[in-house]
Amino acid sequence: MSNTLPSIGIIGAGQIGSAFAHALARHDIPAVLSNSRGPQSLQALVQAIGPSVRAGTREEAAAQQMVLVAVNWSKLPAALAGLPDFDGRIVIDANNPIEAPLFKPVELQGRSSSEVFASLVPGARVVKAFNHLKPALVAGDPAQRGGQRVLFLAGDDTAAKQAVGTLVQALGFAGIDLGSLAGGGRLSQFPGGPLAAQELVRFA
């Protein structure tokens, strides 16, 4: 199955990035995991995740065909600064405009968080995904109660959403397209989105 999927990079090895890596490893899907401290700091983590995930630099992760970014909101500009133009590659926005320890919502001047994020990744086809569930639910078995746990997608590029939807399906989740980055992304954005933190299961 993984042979039909794009190469995958992960920028951010916190709870969401690690959970996504665990989900990939459960299906032996290769990925490059990175953080701000360098590959050596991730050796124990990638060994615990599984052999399909390796530690790499931020630049290596960003060079993959599909890149998931999951970084504390205040650190996003630094995490993405200086990277080459993404030149039409898909970047998954798994970020939320809030962070510990205060958990105070960030003022976005009326924009959705994904619209702000898109301005930091020039040339990228941005898809909002993997942000609305608790990390343990992303990493865990999506087969639930006789159905499939739901993951939401939002974006302005139909082909990019289809590609992320294929990955979501490969991981065993049921993908639901919420529409545009501005409108649909706002629905699953945490805090404030009505679908944020909602665990839904689709039954056949």
Side-chain angles (χ1 to χ4, degrees):
M1 182 179 296
S2 61
N3 291 335
T4 65
L5 296 172
S7 61
I8 297 173
I10 306 170
I11 297 177
Q15 292 188 16
I16 296 176
S18 297
F20 179 64
H22 274 285
L24 296 173
R26 291 181 69 249
H27 296 272
D28 297 318
I29 298 172
V32 180
L33 180 65
S34 69
N35 66 3
S36 61
R37 298 184 299 279
Q40 289 303 316
S41 68
L42 295 171
Q43 292 306 315
L45 177 58
V46 295
Q47 287 176 13
I49 290 172
S52 71
V53 177
R54 68 176 179 89
T57 64
R58 179 190 68 143
E59 289 75 14
E60 284 181 286
Q64 304 308 307
Q65 294 168 292
M66 183 181 289
V67 183
L68 178 133
V69 180
V71 178
N72 284 340
W73 187 262
S74 63
K75 298 179 180 178
L76 271 173
L80 298 170
L83 292 175
D85 187 282
F86 281 89
D87 194 27
R89 287 178 293 118
I90 296 170
V91 177
I92 300 173
D93 171 21
N95 306 280
N96 288 306
I98 195 169
E99 62 185 83
L102 298 179
F103 295 104
K104 181 180 179 181
V106 176
E107 175 54 57
L108 300 176
Q109 306 298 322
R111 293 188 291 172
S112 70
S113 64
S114 289
E115 290 176 290
V116 176
F117 173 82
S119 69
L120 301 174
V121 284
R125 294 185 290 157
V126 176
V127 177
K128 184 78 167 179
F130 294 98
N131 69 293
H132 86 279
L133 286 177
K134 293 179 179 179
L137 299 181
V138 173
D141 187 352
Q144 293 293 318
R145 308 169 188 91
Q148 295 172 285
R149 188 173 283 130
V150 168
L151 280 176
F152 298 117
L153 311 172
D156 298 331
D157 187 291
T158 300
K161 281 194 290 187
Q162 288 174 342
V164 176
T166 297
L167 174 61
V168 165
Q169 185 177 22
L171 296 177
F173 292 89
I176 294 181
D177 185 349
L178 298 178
S180 70
L181 204 60
R186 203 183 300 270
L187 292 175
S188 64
Q189 176 180 304
F190 181 83
L195 297 176
Q198 298 294 320
E199 182 192 358
L200 304 180
V201 176
R202 174 188 282 173
F203 299 98

